[in-house]
Amino acid sequence: MSSTQGQVIRCKAGKPLVIEEVEVAPPQKMEVRLKILFTSLCHTDVYFWEAKGQTPLFPRIFGHEAGGIVESVGEGVTDLKPGDHVLPVFTGECKECRHCKSAESNMCDLLRINTDRGVMIEDGKTRFSKNGKPIYHFLGTSTFSEYTVVHVGCVAKINPAAPLDKVCVLSCGISTGLGATLNVAKPTKGSTVAIFGLGAVGLAVSCEGARIAGASRIIGIDLNPSRFNEAKKFGITEFVNPKDHDKPIQEVLAEMTDGGVDRSVECTGNINAMISAFECVHDGWGVAVLVGVPNKDDAFKTHPVNVLNERTLKGTFFGNYKPRSDIPSVVEKYMNKELELEKFITHQVPFSEINKAFEYMLGGEGLRCMISMEN
């Protein structure tokens, strides 16, 4: 099996992305080489492109929300073959470790997310190079490339009839928000749900998770009032802006809901919003789920009585979905019209204009920008 050439978007910290031709090496043991057909831009790509989230590692090929086709497979790969339609995922499922064998966890020991690693697990080398010099991977996926090499444990085989330009958004943010509600918060029909942060993940929680669960009231909390009209299209029934009140937002929500909401989901990563999301749930049965990633020096502080009064605080990673086992069934929800994805895709650009996608994201325009690899 030989190397292939392909166009990639190569990145330097904070600089406009550049399209270049690079060598993409053949997949090694337990790896697959994918032909990426569609990829979308997530806030995580922007965060690391700005070099805010890691020890800078450049040049690097970003991208982790994508859909494609298996081009070739390496030694030991038995459950994928060339031509299979797949979603690469930034975290994995080896199916052998204690986490993978547990029904309660998706935190694979071998393949869980590693933002600093820029090489493949098998041999500690990159599969991308130019003029003999390595170009580093990102989140084990690097989907801003016509071809990429991914560990087989980070690849979900899906229904070949599913449109990749729609379902590729399930490989990160939408599944994270959806699973945070359906798999972790688990609101019952007729319950009240508060969503902190109305970005893509928050709207995935509110519209799809809470809607599918049958929540009767879905209260959106955000500092940006311009988001409310858009949020209503996604299922938000009420909107609260903390700036409009002279008391803590948890007190406002408690007054609105006769003591507190049944479930809350925090999607911003702001430590104060996290505390409010916990303290706004009803005593006795309230459950708060943290999705947003806080700053490394943040500390969560609340009075122990809030816990003793039978409020529950939970965290979630990728919506508690196991990539290989669970994501194919989430795709089927879309195919069966239980799940809506089109409204999350607000822009579309060709691969050659990927910098426009960054401009949309940095300008706060829309939710997801779909990037077609065929210009």
Side-chain angles (χ1 to χ4, degrees):
M1 195 181 301
S2 61
S3 296
T4 187
Q5 282 196 327
Q7 287 190 330
V8 303
I9 295 291
R10 197 168 75 155
C11 300
K12 294 183 179 180
K15 302 295 184 182
L17 284 70
V18 178
I19 294 181
E20 295 185 354
E21 292 279 343
V22 302
E23 294 287 329
V24 185
Q28 302 302 304
K29 184 178 179 180
M30 301 306 290
E31 297 172 0
V32 295
R33 189 162 60 189
L34 308 179
K35 179 177 176 58
I36 300 297
L37 299 181
F38 296 94
T39 186
S40 58
L41 181 63
C42 172
H43 281 90
T44 303
D45 295 307
V46 177
Y47 184 68
F48 282 88
W49 165 72
E50 292 176 322
K52 292 180 177 178
Q54 87 282 1
T55 302
L57 184 62
F58 292 94
R60 201 172 202 182
I61 299 170
F62 285 99
H64 65 282
E65 230 178 45
I69 297 174
V70 175
E71 182 264 347
S72 56
V73 302
E75 176 189 346
V77 176
T78 58
D79 53 354
L80 290 173
K81 64 184 184 304
D84 284 344
H85 286 221
V86 297
L87 302 182
V89 183
F90 64 91
T91 189
E93 180 186 356
C94 72
K95 296 192 175 183
E96 298 296 330
C97 70
R98 289 184 301 168
H99 284 278
C100 287
K101 291 181 177 180
S102 168
E104 299 181 23
S105 175
N106 65 345
M107 303 286 287
C108 177
D109 282 330
L110 178 66
L111 299 170
R112 70 174 64 180
I113 185 172
N114 184 324
T115 59
D116 290 328
R117 186 173 59 231
V119 295
M120 299 301 290
I121 290 176
E122 172 62 23
D123 57 7
K125 298 179 181 179
T126 71
R127 302 291 175 260
F128 301 110
S129 64
K130 184 177 177 68
N131 299 325
K133 295 182 178 180
I135 299 174
Y136 296 104
H137 297 251
F138 177 63
L139 297 183
T141 52
S142 292
T143 62
F144 292 168
S145 173
E146 288 183 312
Y147 292 91
T148 190
V149 177
V150 182
H151 191 285
V152 66
C154 298
V155 179
K157 180 181 176 180
I158 65 168
N159 184 342
L164 290 172
D165 62 332
K166 304 296 189 298
V167 299
C168 78
V169 297
L170 292 173
S171 59
C172 183
I174 307 306
S175 293
T176 297
L178 184 70
T181 298
L182 294 180
N183 299 336
V184 187
K186 299 180 180 178
T188 57
K189 187 174 182 179
S191 59
T192 300
V193 179
I195 310 297
F196 285 75
L198 300 179
V201 174
L203 291 178
V205 173
S206 65
C207 173
E208 303 310 316
R211 179 185 63 80
I212 291 171
S216 61
R217 295 176 69 184
I218 306 174
I219 305 170
I221 298 94
D222 203 288
L223 296 173
N224 184 352
S226 66
R227 287 183 167 178
F228 182 42
N229 285 334
E230 186 69 18
K232 285 193 291 188
K233 302 175 186 177
F234 287 79
I236 289 288
T237 60
E238 299 156 73
F239 180 79
V240 180
N241 186 340
K243 292 180 179 178
D244 295 338
H245 301 274
D246 56 5
K247 63 178 69 174
I249 193 64
Q250 51 266 50
E251 294 182 17
V252 175
L253 292 169
E255 292 174 1
M256 291 173 60
T257 57
D258 191 24
V261 299
D262 301 306
R263 301 290 186 267
S264 71
V265 185
E266 198 290 319
C267 304
T268 71
N270 178 282
I271 191 62
N272 293 319
M274 290 180 168
I275 295 169
S276 296
F278 175 58
E279 294 182 352
C280 80
V281 299
H282 207 291
D283 57 6
W285 61 79
V287 177
V289 179
L290 305 185
V291 179
V293 179
N295 293 322
K296 64 179 182 178
D297 296 326
D298 284 339
F300 188 97
K301 297 179 181 180
T302 191
H303 198 285
V305 168
N306 289 321
V307 180
L308 293 172
N309 284 345
E310 300 181 4
R311 294 178 178 87
T312 300
L313 178 66
K314 293 184 175 184
T316 182
F317 171 68
F318 193 48
N320 280 38
Y321 286 120
K322 295 178 185 287
R324 299 162 79 185
S325 299
D326 297 334
I327 293 304
S329 64
V330 181
V331 170
E332 291 308 307
K333 284 183 180 291
Y334 170 77
M335 297 298 286
N336 295 333
K337 302 187 185 304
E338 301 171 44
L339 176 62
E340 300 175 27
L341 295 177
E342 286 82 357
K343 56 193 175 186
F344 290 100
I345 302 167
T346 51
H347 298 86
Q348 298 184 43
V349 298
F351 190 44
S352 61
E353 298 179 14
I354 192 170
N355 283 303
K356 282 188 177 179
F358 276 72
E359 291 171 9
Y360 292 140
M361 182 74 74
L362 292 168
E365 298 180 43
L367 298 173
R368 280 293 186 269
C369 182
M370 185 59 56
I371 301 158
S372 172
M373 304 304 286
E374 296 183 357
N375 289 313

